[in-house]
Every structure is written in C-alpha cells, then in structure tokens.
C-alpha cells in the first residue's frame, strides 16, 4: 500500500509541475498582452522558463521545488473539490412501489 501511495504522490507532483508551468506561461503571455493564447503555447513557454531558471545554481532548485509544491497543491485542491462535488449531488432513488398493486396483479 505504501509503494502505491508513493507512486500516486509522485504522479500528482509531476502533474502539478506541468500545471505550474502552464500557469507561469499564462502569466508570461499576459505580461506581453497576449491574453488569448492556446494552452499548449502557455505550457511550452512555462516549461522553457522553468527550465531556464532551473539552470541558475541555487535559485534553480528553489524555483523547481516551488513549482512542484504549488502544482502539487493545485492538484490536491482539484481532487478535494471533485470529491466534494460528487458528495453534493443527490443520488436519485426510484419511487416506492405500492405493495398492494403488485399483489393484486399477481393474484389475477
């Protein structure tokens, strides 16, 4: 059970890093007044920027860790919100059947 948990945490962190890179790319494009831009462009710019910052000794490791941490938190919040939304939706139940009506039809 512990190895499965570690794999899930690593995958969530990996996905979170991509989420953070996309957010960084979006902020960069907004800074250049390119509000309407494709998601893939935001992602590629974010990955390139995080890679470039990652090359700086000292600062690079911290930037990558913060991107991982922020992205991991975003994935965690998304999972919690998804689970809350699933609980908030009431399950439909079938209307109760009339036992007398079924016994009358069976007797005839």
């Amino acid at each position: 059970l512990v190895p499965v948990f570690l794999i899930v945490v690593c995958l969530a962190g990996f996905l979170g890093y991509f989420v953070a890179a996309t957010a960084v790319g979006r902020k960069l494009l907004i800074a250049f007044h390119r509000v309407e831009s494709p998601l893939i462009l935001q992602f590629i710019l974010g990955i390139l920027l995080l890679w470039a910052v990652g090359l700086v000794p000292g600062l690079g490791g911290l930037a990558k860790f913060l991107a991982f941490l922020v992205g991991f938190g975003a994935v965690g919040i998304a999972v919690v919100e998804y689970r809350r939304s699933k609980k908030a939706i009431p399950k439909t139940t079938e209307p109760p059947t009339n036992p007398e009506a079924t016994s009358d039809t069976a007797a005839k």
Side-chain angles (χ1 to χ4, degrees):
L1 189 60
V2 173
V4 172
F5 178 73
L6 289 175
I7 290 171
V8 168
V9 168
C10 289
L11 287 176
F14 191 66
L15 177 66
Y17 187 79
F18 289 132
V19 169
T22 304
V24 167
R26 181 180 303 129
K27 293 292 185 184
L28 182 66
L29 286 169
I30 288 173
F32 287 108
H33 305 291
R34 298 261 331 251
V35 178
E36 298 293 326
S37 58
L39 188 62
I40 190 72
L41 180 62
Q42 297 171 9
F43 171 72
I44 290 171
L45 284 177
I47 286 289
L48 288 174
L49 186 64
L50 287 176
W51 172 76
V53 171
L55 294 176
V56 177
L59 179 65
L62 181 63
K64 286 183 177 183
F65 176 72
L66 286 176
F68 174 85
L69 197 61
V70 168
F72 186 78
V75 169
I77 289 172
V79 168
V80 168
E81 289 298 318
Y82 175 76
R83 294 186 75 187
R84 281 187 188 163
S85 70
K86 293 294 271 188
K87 288 181 182 178
I89 299 172
K91 295 184 179 180
T92 58
T93 58
E94 294 182 24
T97 59
N98 188 353
E100 293 176 4
T102 55
S103 64
D104 288 341
T105 56
K108 292 181 183 180

